[in-house]
Amino acid sequence: MSGTRPGRQLLRQEVVEGIKRYILEERLRPGDPLPTEPALCEALGASRSSVREAVKILNALDIVEVRHGHGTYVGRLSLSALVESLTFRGLLSPDDDFQVMADLVDVRELFERGMADRIVTLLAPEQLDALDGLVTTMRETGSQDGHGFVEADRAFHALLVAPLGNELIGQLSMAFWDVYTIVAPHLDGFTHADETATITAHQNIVDAARAKDVPGFMRALSEHYAPVRRRISEARVRDGRARD
């Protein structure tokens, strides 16, 4: 802000880095408590106001969690800040909307196709049954239902990468999925045919995984993302015509 002195900004950032360094050096884990505010002030040689500002910044990034009346703890280290940033970028400028969505589709497919071999190998029978159940939910609710269809789709992709046991991939996959669902309503043209194709592609993904058919699994993923790419392409054309 214009009224903030540069020296104060520098000090606040130094305290932010000091708290992050403390977490790393002490090998704290999510949920572990941080020292009290007075103890942090003493350890970092910072004022109480600087420590409070730094904690606010780290809380917004989910690096720390402030539990009022209890203290400050190491946060969940989720990607909520990334989700907010990407969402705002996609909504801020019409020029960015479609590029953001295209990028998100590329990243989502990259995760799933890049790990196809391992996903197909690691999916257990009960997980495959759960994926089948989610496809059934999508089929029974339909996209017009809104939450039922969307939640089943989200849960499907979460479960698909769950066997990898890679928390970062799981978080990134869901973060990009959440951003996409927030920005996607700005796309038009999700027809009944698209809905049917989406459900069929999800079923093909499960069937290929159950058959341990990695090439078929990858083809089904491509089928799943193709309608989304088409809608993005068509939206770009419509937007260009509107500008002309």
Side-chain angles (χ1 to χ4, degrees):
M1 303 294 287
S2 58
T4 304
R5 290 177 290 129
R8 188 181 176 198
Q9 288 181 339
L10 179 60
L11 180 58
R12 180 176 58 193
Q13 189 58 38
E14 288 173 344
V15 178
V16 167
E17 295 303 321
I19 294 174
K20 288 160 63 177
R21 189 164 54 249
Y22 176 87
I23 292 171
L24 293 174
E25 290 175 351
E26 296 299 318
R27 298 186 178 182
L28 300 182
R29 307 294 298 169
D32 287 346
L34 286 171
T36 62
E37 187 178 277
L40 282 174
C41 291
E42 182 177 353
L44 300 172
S47 68
R48 183 164 291 190
S49 62
S50 294
V51 168
R52 286 178 179 172
E53 289 177 0
V55 167
K56 285 181 182 178
I57 292 170
L58 293 170
N59 185 61
L61 297 172
D62 208 19
I63 292 175
V64 306
E65 177 188 358
V66 178
R67 302 177 190 173
H68 296 291
H70 297 278
T72 304
Y73 298 77
V74 179
R76 296 177 295 114
L77 308 178
S78 72
L79 300 175
S80 57
L82 175 63
V83 173
E84 292 293 332
S85 176
L86 286 173
T87 302
F88 188 68
R89 178 191 161 198
L91 296 174
L92 182 63
S93 168
D95 295 332
D96 287 344
D97 271 357
F98 306 127
Q99 188 58 52
V100 169
M101 285 185 277
D103 290 347
L104 293 176
V105 170
D106 285 344
V107 172
R108 286 179 58 196
E109 185 174 1
L110 178 65
F111 282 146
E112 294 168 355
R113 286 178 62 88
M115 296 289 183
D117 235 336
R118 291 179 58 194
I119 292 172
V120 168
T121 300
L122 295 173
L123 277 170
E126 59 270 20
Q127 291 171 318
L128 290 165
D129 291 342
L131 289 170
D132 265 326
L134 290 167
V135 176
T136 298
T137 299
M138 293 173 67
R139 187 177 291 114
E140 291 177 348
T141 57
S143 60
Q144 298 306 311
D145 172 73
H147 293 298
F149 188 93
V150 170
E151 289 304 314
D153 196 350
R154 185 186 194 280
F156 183 98
H157 289 277
L159 182 54
L160 201 62
V161 298
L164 298 172
N166 188 314
E167 187 176 351
L168 181 58
I169 287 179
Q171 285 189 3
L172 282 171
S173 179
M174 289 301 95
F176 287 123
W177 201 98
D178 288 343
V179 173
Y180 174 76
T181 57
I182 292 169
V183 180
H186 293 262
L187 290 176
D188 295 324
F190 191 72
T191 64
H192 179 70
D194 289 332
E195 177 186 318
T196 301
T198 297
I199 294 170
T200 300
H202 280 79
Q203 187 64 65
N204 290 342
I205 289 170
V206 183
D207 292 344
R210 196 182 290 277
K212 304 298 182 186
D213 178 5
V214 175
F217 182 86
M218 295 177 73
R219 282 195 303 272
L221 286 173
S222 296
E223 291 169 3
H224 170 47
Y225 290 110
V228 183
R229 288 196 170 90
R230 177 186 57 74
R231 291 172 63 211
I232 293 171
S233 177
E234 290 174 352
R236 276 177 162 157
V237 172
R238 285 195 304 271
D239 185 64
R241 288 173 181 167
R243 291 170 185 274
D244 293 341

